[in-house]
Amino acid sequence: MCGITARVGDDDSLEALLGSLENLEYRGYDSAGIAMQNGSELAISKCEGEVSDLRSELAFTGQNGRVGIGHTRWSTHGPPTDENAHPHTGCHGRVAVVHNGIIENYAELREELRTRGHEFTSDTDTEVIPHLVEEELGAGRDAETAFRRAIDRLEGSYAIAMIVDDDPTIYATRNGSPLVVGVGETANYLASDVPAFLEFTDRVVYLEDDDVVAVTVDGHRITDATGDPISRSIETVDWDPEDAEKGSYDHYMLKEIHEQPMALRQTLHGRIDDDDVVLEEFPSGTFDDVSRVQLVACGTSYHAGMYGEWLLSNWGIDADTHIASEYAAYPAPVDENTLVIGVTQSGETADTLEALASARRRGARTLALTNVIGSTAARTCDDALFIRAGPEIGVAATKTFSSQVASLVLLGERLVRDVTGEPTEDHRQRLDALESLPEHVEMVTQDTLATAISRRWLGESGHFFIGRGNAYSVALEGALKFKEITYEHAEGFAAGELKHGPLALVTPETPVFAVGTGEHRNRLESNINEIQTRGAPVIAIAPRNATELADTADEFLPVPATHPDLVAILANVQLQLIAYHAADEMDRSIDKPRNLAKSVTVE
């Protein structure tokens, strides 16, 4: 989950490295550090805290160099301290290493190195790597050979970048953690994610597991685990550098909430033709042999998967959603007619990748629903459908949820037509509503009472979110957003389940957000009455024409009236705004919530 970056250029790399680290802070912000090579030795600066703290320290050092590596940390082994910050070095300071992932056999390697006289200064698993490399260098091996021999000893997941004191080359490799090369005119880059260097170049090379890359100012050379040359294509990323900047917004999260209309237009562009769904990746008949669908995902993507499951089940497709970490440990039955869909924004979520691998090993067909072309999920699955939402920097996912659900609607329509031979019953109305979705989301963001309501109904003992049907998944997502960025207790429930236990927690100090889609209004109204009888205030989020809910609830947050299958997407935007404004009122770290990171690349 950490972010690593590197640069080698014909000029000083410090400022570019700092900017890249700032662009990667969504991957971790417990500590940060940089190592620079000035031609004869390594200069290292690192500290607990955010990249801004590192920048302040560097203002007094005069550190510079054409070759450098950087790291922003999400702690796994050892607390966030100066000592545990990356880069790490060996005993003699000849080698500096940054690492994302987990070295599973580090304790064994550490003990082995200690018996040979090595001294360690951190609690991290990473520190064994530079010690292993220094041993190989001490035995007379060149830097690349020393690097290869060191990584041959490692077990686990990792993306590693290394520099050596007397070599103007960056050496790097990956195994289970993302790493991408940025190809520039006067400099070349390495990073965990493209946004790190997007302002400098849009030409990228996605590395595969076990690739070893040597990057110099003149270019890059990729070899496999045995040292044989490999050719990887240079691709052009179509993201605009401004997409990864805050612009005039106070937070990335607010910017990305307001970007949802644009993201949805990109998701839908060219994919609806009159009353048909047009997916270039999946022409008619692609899924003729599918008899069962399983969706695997984590966090927000899991809630999008639940939404997709509800749609598919309603349309007659056998569908289930699984938390990816549970699926990997306790896999559900599959066969060659099972389609397993991995829903993952980054395409690098470790638990989801392992779930997909488990499904592949057992003969299932796999499909990645992801935002990132070239991601591990996109490359390793049998098929991929890209949500095309653009870069998302805020740790709390917003626009990617909307685009994931919209993509699942399109994919679901394609599946139903292939499996049953007929479109869904009211497909024309649904597709019309889908085409209007960007405009409807824009109406929500431009005319919302979320700011006032979030201030008025900050609870003292918790916040509950309820919904029926696809609104249940949005209730869970609304609760997740709220707890992620406010740090306040929040829970989502199926509305009918309150009376089976959770109602015991309802008090006048627990606001309840009730999501309605326009269907089963009487049942939701009954649930609201049950809550109000216990003295709790209810804020209803429902279509503007749901007047009975508006009259019953204590507060009403309307959304445009549209097809019932899509109302919950609009309600979710209101809940995103509720969470954002509540967190802003409480002065929380909205884009960098404590203990969390954007791309979860460790299990």
Side-chain angles (χ1 to χ4, degrees):
M1 311 231 287
C2 306
I4 68 175
T5 189
R7 182 187 189 269
V8 52
D10 60 9
D11 58 352
D12 184 49
S13 289
L14 177 61
E15 188 56 40
L17 283 171
L18 286 170
S20 294
L21 286 180
E22 288 167 340
N23 293 339
L24 286 175
E25 277 198 292
Y26 58 86
R27 296 185 64 89
Y29 30 85
D30 290 339
S31 61
I34 280 178
M36 307 288 292
Q37 192 238 78
N38 59 21
S40 60
E41 61 182 4
L42 300 181
I44 296 173
S45 295
K46 58 182 184 175
C47 64
E48 176 186 352
E50 300 182 3
V51 177
S52 58
D53 300 309
L54 175 65
R55 184 181 284 277
S56 297
E57 283 202 8
L58 284 165
F60 303 101
T61 66
Q63 189 167 321
N64 60 69
R66 295 190 308 108
V67 185
I69 57 176
H71 188 273
T72 181
R73 183 173 185 243
W74 186 82
S75 304
T76 54
H77 292 74
T81 62
D82 291 354
E83 293 77 15
N84 289 334
H86 298 215
H88 287 291
T89 61
C91 293
H92 306 294
R94 293 194 59 196
V95 176
V97 165
V98 291
H99 163 230
N100 169 39
I102 294 177
I103 306 302
E104 294 174 357
N105 62 333
Y106 86 98
E108 170 191 330
L109 292 171
R110 191 181 182 108
E111 185 58 32
E112 176 188 318
L113 288 160
R114 272 186 172 142
T115 63
R116 294 201 291 269
H118 290 262
E119 296 182 359
F120 291 83
T121 59
S122 80
D123 302 315
T124 70
D125 54 335
T126 304
E127 197 181 356
V128 299
I129 303 170
H131 286 273
L132 289 170
V133 173
E134 279 197 350
E135 276 200 343
E136 299 294 340
L137 291 173
R141 295 181 177 90
D142 62 84
E144 183 169 347
T145 303
F147 183 64
R148 288 180 177 280
R149 289 177 66 92
I151 62 177
D152 282 346
R153 301 289 314 279
L154 306 181
E155 297 173 7
S157 64
Y158 48 78
I160 300 166
M162 177 191 84
I163 57 175
V164 181
D165 55 3
D166 58 355
D167 187 342
T169 306
I170 301 163
Y171 298 96
T173 190
R174 62 156 286 177
N175 179 49
S177 292
L179 194 60
V180 60
V181 178
V183 181
E185 295 296 329
T186 60
N188 292 302
Y189 304 84
L190 275 164
S192 300
D193 288 333
V194 171
F197 51 70
L198 190 57
E199 62 190 285
F200 306 116
T201 182
D202 61 358
R203 301 173 68 222
V204 304
V205 177
Y206 294 99
L207 299 178
E208 302 277 0
D209 280 354
D210 300 323
D211 285 358
V212 175
V213 62
V215 183
T216 66
V217 68
D218 298 317
H220 67 278
R221 174 174 50 86
I222 304 173
T223 51
D224 64 16
T226 64
D228 293 330
I230 298 174
S231 177
R232 302 275 184 228
S233 61
I234 298 177
E235 302 181 28
T236 300
V237 178
D238 61 1
W239 291 349
D240 189 317
E242 291 186 3
D243 291 344
E245 298 175 358
K246 276 193 297 190
S248 60
Y249 291 91
D250 291 336
H251 299 93
Y252 280 111
M253 182 180 179
L254 185 61
K255 173 178 180 276
E256 288 156 3
I257 290 172
H258 282 269
E259 283 179 345
Q260 286 176 103
M262 178 181 67
L264 285 164
R265 289 186 183 100
Q266 293 170 176
T267 298
L268 300 173
H269 179 69
R271 289 174 165 174
I272 299 175
D273 182 14
D274 193 20
D275 66 345
D276 198 7
V277 170
V278 181
L279 299 176
E280 291 183 5
E281 306 91 333
F282 309 115
S284 178
T286 298
F287 302 111
D288 282 352
D289 58 351
V290 171
S291 62
R292 177 194 305 156
V293 174
Q294 295 173 358
L295 300 104
V296 293
C298 305
T300 289
S301 295
Y302 173 72
H303 299 149
M306 288 181 63
Y307 204 126
E309 174 200 340
W310 182 88
L311 291 168
L312 289 171
S313 297
N314 268 8
W315 299 340
I317 302 291
D318 182 0
D320 295 290
T321 310
H322 302 264
I323 295 173
S325 57
E326 290 296 302
Y327 186 95
Y330 308 102
V334 299
D335 58 28
E336 66 274 11
N337 300 122
T338 304
L339 176 66
V340 179
I341 302 173
V343 186
T344 162
Q345 185 279 136
S346 66
E348 303 292 350
T349 308
D351 290 325
T352 305
L353 292 175
E354 179 56 32
L356 290 165
S358 169
R360 282 196 305 275
R361 287 192 297 268
R362 293 177 295 119
R365 179 178 175 180
T366 56
L367 185 154
L369 186 78
T370 183
N371 195 33
V372 183
I373 296 171
S375 62
T376 301
R379 294 196 311 273
T380 57
C381 284
D382 298 308
D383 301 294
L385 180 62
F386 298 101
I387 68 172
R388 308 193 301 208
E392 186 176 65
I393 307 302
V395 169
T398 51
K399 67 178 181 178
T400 53
F401 176 85
S402 300
S403 291
Q404 285 172 337
V405 173
S407 298
L408 285 168
V409 175
L410 294 171
L411 182 60
E413 290 276 3
R414 172 81 280 138
L415 274 161
V416 170
R417 291 167 195 240
D418 285 353
V419 173
T420 69
E422 300 289 339
T424 56
E425 184 176 339
D426 54 350
H427 66 282
R428 180 63 270 173
Q429 295 91 333
R430 186 181 300 103
L431 292 179
D432 285 344
L434 200 57
E435 289 185 302
S436 299
L437 191 60
E439 177 186 350
H440 288 156
V441 171
E442 196 160 15
M443 292 169 63
V444 172
T445 59
Q446 291 180 354
D447 183 22
T448 179
L449 302 172
T451 306
I453 288 177
S454 64
R455 291 171 179 165
R456 192 154 54 241
W457 296 109
L458 273 175
E460 296 179 8
S461 60
H463 303 77
F464 291 167
F465 297 75
I466 63 171
R468 289 179 176 271
N470 59 12
Y472 171 44
S473 63
V474 166
L476 293 174
E477 174 61 13
L480 176 62
K481 282 293 152 289
F482 201 90
K483 70 181 75 171
E484 276 182 312
I485 62 171
T486 68
Y487 314 153
E488 297 295 308
H489 181 72
E491 293 293 337
F493 301 101
E497 281 296 293
L498 280 182
K499 57 186 174 289
H500 296 288
L503 203 58
L505 300 175
V506 171
T507 73
E509 286 75 43
T510 51
V512 179
F513 294 85
V515 182
T517 65
E519 295 186 319
H520 307 297
R521 294 184 184 181
N522 292 339
R523 291 186 177 184
L524 187 59
E525 187 177 355
S526 175
N527 296 138
I528 291 173
N529 288 329
E530 291 171 351
I531 295 162
Q532 289 173 322
T533 299
R534 275 74 184 175
V538 177
I539 302 93
I541 305 98
R544 199 173 296 277
N545 59 7
T547 54
E548 70 280 12
L549 292 182
D551 293 340
T552 302
D554 298 274
E555 296 272 14
F556 185 59
L557 265 177
V559 299
T562 187
H563 193 286
D565 288 353
L566 305 183
V567 169
I569 300 175
L570 303 175
N572 186 65
V573 178
Q574 291 281 29
L575 294 178
Q576 291 171 352
L577 290 164
I578 288 285
Y580 172 82
H581 289 295
D584 194 40
E585 180 74 11
M586 302 169 75
D587 198 28
R588 300 302 195 212
S589 179
I590 291 174
D591 287 333
K592 304 171 187 174
R594 68 187 182 197
N595 303 331
L596 301 178
K598 182 72 176 173
S599 184
V600 186
T601 56
V602 296
E603 295 180 358

